[in-house]
């Protein structure tokens, strides 16, 4: 082959996407999906998107069931299976399966395309470089969290915040990163941050029975609101957490809608996990059926967030929302008793 013919051929080869493949109903794409606590709302939204779009995709679902000890085995299974895309749910799962910027990729998935979802702070966790591009050719993801400054502004539209209280697990990366962000915002957004940390067992898990004492301490500090940004523990213990807050006449604001819609938090500024899952499904479609490598895709977020107000809690605390928020928010327990 002549040189002037070889060069265009090489350029064409180099410009051909490494990850784009033709899939059919007879030969569907395989997605290896690892979730942290069962196929919850985001996982369901992801699967529903694939079904609604009638994409030729087969999903191999693996549930860690909150057991980090299972992750090394699942990583080995994913490497051996060599699926067309690996999808991870949560920071712990993502760091164990996909790794971080600092890790050697060959120790994880190698060149297998990968995508993360429900990672509160993928940049802070070292998984990606930026939201414009991940910085890793085989890795992409989606953003699920409403930015902290947006949440605080929305909360300030409801309550004149002078002090915000936070109770968190210092060994939980997402919770620690979230608290650090709030500390940086405190001067800029004119509030004082009051923090309390859980005492931990040898595994780094909060010892039981601490919530009443810590909530009382925040009440003694006269915080205006208790904020739950990123905390799997507080989310899991939401009924006890919000009950103790109401008992101490403290409203709870959260980035988790379930703290309000399925418990006794007052206000949530959040994205529904189901919608986040559908966004992840759209990103997976781009990886499997598009013309770009995962690392060339921006890390998208939902264009709009939701506000949830628990009117029963508002009545108990005598903290009724302003009219402008009533027009925008989704009201929970709106009917009087």
């Amino acid at each position: 082959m002549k040189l002037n013919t070889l060069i265009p051929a090489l350029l064409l080869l180099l410009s051909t996407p490494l990850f784009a493949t033709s899939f059919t109903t007879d030969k569907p794409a395989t997605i290896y999906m690892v979730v942290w606590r069962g196929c919850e709302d985001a996982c369901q939204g992801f699967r529903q998107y694939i079904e609604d779009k009638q994409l030729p995709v087969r999903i191999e679902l693996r549930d860690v069931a909150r057991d980090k000890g299972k992750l090394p085995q699942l990583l080995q299974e994913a490497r051996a299976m060599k699926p067309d895309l690996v999808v991870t749910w949560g920071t712990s799962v993502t760091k164990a399966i996909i790794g971080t910027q600092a890790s050697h990729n060959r120790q994880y998935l190698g060149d297998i395309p990968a995508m993360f979802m429900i990672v509160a702070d993928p940049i802070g966790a070292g998984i990606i470089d930026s939201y414009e591009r991940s910085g890793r050719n085989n890795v992409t993801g989606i953003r699920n969290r409403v930015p902290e400054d947006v949440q605080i502004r929305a909360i300030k539209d409801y309550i004149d915040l002078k002090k915000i209280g936070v109770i968190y697990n210092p060994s939980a990366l997402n919770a620690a990163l979230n608290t650090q962000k709030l500390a940086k915002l405190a001067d800029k957004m004119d509030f004082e941050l009051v923090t309390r940390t859980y005492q931990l067992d040898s595994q780094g898990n909060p010892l039981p029975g601490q919530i009443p004492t810590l909530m009382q301490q925040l009440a003694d500090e006269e915080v205006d609101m208790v904020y739950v940004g990123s905390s799997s523990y507080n989310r899991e213990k939401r009924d006890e957490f919000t009950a103790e807050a109401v008992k101490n006449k403290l409203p709870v604001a959260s980035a988790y809608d379930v703290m309000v819609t399925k418990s006794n938090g007052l206000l949530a500024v959040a994205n529904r996990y189901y919608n986040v899952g559908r966004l992840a499904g759209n990103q997976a479609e781009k990886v499997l059926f598009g013309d770009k490598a995962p690392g060339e895709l921006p890390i998208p977020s939902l264009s709009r967030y939701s506000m949830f107000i628990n009117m029963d809690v508002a009545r108990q605390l005598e903290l009724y929302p302003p009219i402008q928020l009533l027009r925008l928010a989704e009201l929970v327990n709106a009917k009087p008793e």
Side-chain angles (χ1 to χ4, degrees):
M1 183 179 290
K2 294 181 179 180
L3 185 60
N4 61 350
T5 306
L6 178 61
I7 292 176
L10 287 173
L11 291 175
L12 177 62
L13 178 62
L14 292 173
S15 65
T16 301
L18 298 176
F19 298 92
T21 309
S22 297
F23 301 107
T24 65
T25 303
D26 293 332
K27 295 183 65 175
T30 299
I31 293 179
Y32 186 88
M33 187 174 189
V34 186
V35 297
W36 176 248
R37 53 169 184 262
C39 192
E40 44 58 77
D41 287 352
C43 169
Q44 292 170 24
F46 181 90
R47 297 174 76 171
Q48 191 62 51
Y49 179 91
I50 299 297
E51 182 179 332
D52 290 346
K53 294 297 291 288
Q54 298 182 339
L55 300 176
V57 168
R58 177 173 61 91
I59 298 176
E60 291 284 346
L61 184 67
R62 300 292 186 268
D63 181 16
V64 176
R66 298 184 174 92
D67 183 359
K68 291 183 180 180
K70 295 180 180 179
L71 290 168
Q73 181 180 350
L74 293 179
L75 172 59
Q76 293 306 313
E77 183 181 43
R79 288 167 62 96
M81 184 182 295
K82 295 183 179 178
D84 300 291
L85 177 64
V86 171
V87 176
T88 57
W89 190 108
T91 303
S92 296
V93 174
T94 299
K95 293 184 76 172
I97 302 294
I98 297 178
T100 64
Q101 291 279 13
S103 60
H104 295 292
N105 205 38
R106 62 180 180 273
Q107 296 175 352
Y108 292 89
L109 293 174
D111 293 329
I112 298 172
M115 187 188 83
F116 61 83
M117 61 191 295
I118 315 297
V119 174
D121 187 355
I123 296 176
I127 296 166
I128 61 173
D129 275 342
S130 74
Y131 293 125
E132 285 71 38
R133 298 289 187 275
S134 71
R136 306 166 69 183
N137 192 46
N138 69 312
V139 175
T140 188
I142 57 106
R143 302 163 64 183
N144 66 286
R145 190 57 54 88
V146 177
E148 283 80 0
D149 59 333
V150 175
Q151 293 181 56
I152 297 301
R153 278 195 291 271
I155 295 169
K156 280 177 167 284
D157 286 340
Y158 195 135
I159 293 175
D160 182 21
L161 288 178
K162 298 301 181 185
K163 285 187 179 182
I164 297 177
V166 172
I167 302 172
Y168 73 104
N169 174 358
S171 75
L173 178 60
N174 284 340
L177 289 172
N178 181 248
T179 306
Q180 290 171 16
K181 286 187 176 182
L182 288 177
K184 291 179 180 178
L185 288 173
D187 288 340
K188 179 181 177 181
M189 302 192 73
D190 192 28
F191 66 85
E192 178 183 348
L193 183 65
V194 180
T195 62
R196 293 292 182 273
T197 56
Y198 289 110
Q199 295 182 17
L200 309 177
D201 62 20
S202 59
Q203 303 299 315
N205 299 313
L207 294 168
Q210 300 180 70
I211 292 176
T213 299
L214 295 175
M215 199 65 72
Q216 179 64 59
Q217 290 178 10
L218 292 184
D220 292 343
E221 289 277 356
E222 298 183 341
V223 301
D224 300 302
M225 179 168 280
V226 181
Y227 174 74
V228 179
S230 183
S231 173
S232 296
Y233 183 79
N234 290 342
R235 187 182 192 276
E236 181 181 343
K237 300 292 183 182
R238 58 183 176 269
D239 287 344
E240 179 185 1
F241 192 95
T242 56
E244 287 298 325
V246 171
K247 179 180 176 182
N248 284 277
K249 304 297 183 185
L250 294 175
V252 171
S254 182
Y256 297 120
D257 66 285
V258 294
M259 298 287 289
V260 172
T261 59
K262 296 182 180 180
S263 196
N264 291 300
L266 173 65
L267 172 68
V269 182
N271 290 316
R272 286 190 182 275
Y273 269 24
Y274 182 85
N275 295 335
V276 171
R278 292 188 65 86
L279 176 66
N282 178 262
Q283 189 78 340
E285 181 182 13
K286 292 176 181 177
V287 172
L288 293 171
F289 303 96
D291 60 356
K292 291 184 178 180
E296 296 176 358
L297 296 170
I299 311 298
S301 62
L302 292 170
S303 58
R304 299 177 64 182
Y305 63 85
S306 299
M307 181 179 292
F308 306 87
I309 297 174
N310 191 318
M311 292 303 295
D312 185 44
V313 175
R315 286 189 288 271
Q316 291 182 60
L317 297 177
E318 297 185 346
L319 288 172
Y320 298 100
I323 294 295
Q324 66 268 24
L325 292 189
L326 287 175
R327 294 170 180 164
L328 299 173
E330 296 186 36
L331 304 182
V332 181
N333 300 324
K335 294 182 180 180
E337 298 177 355

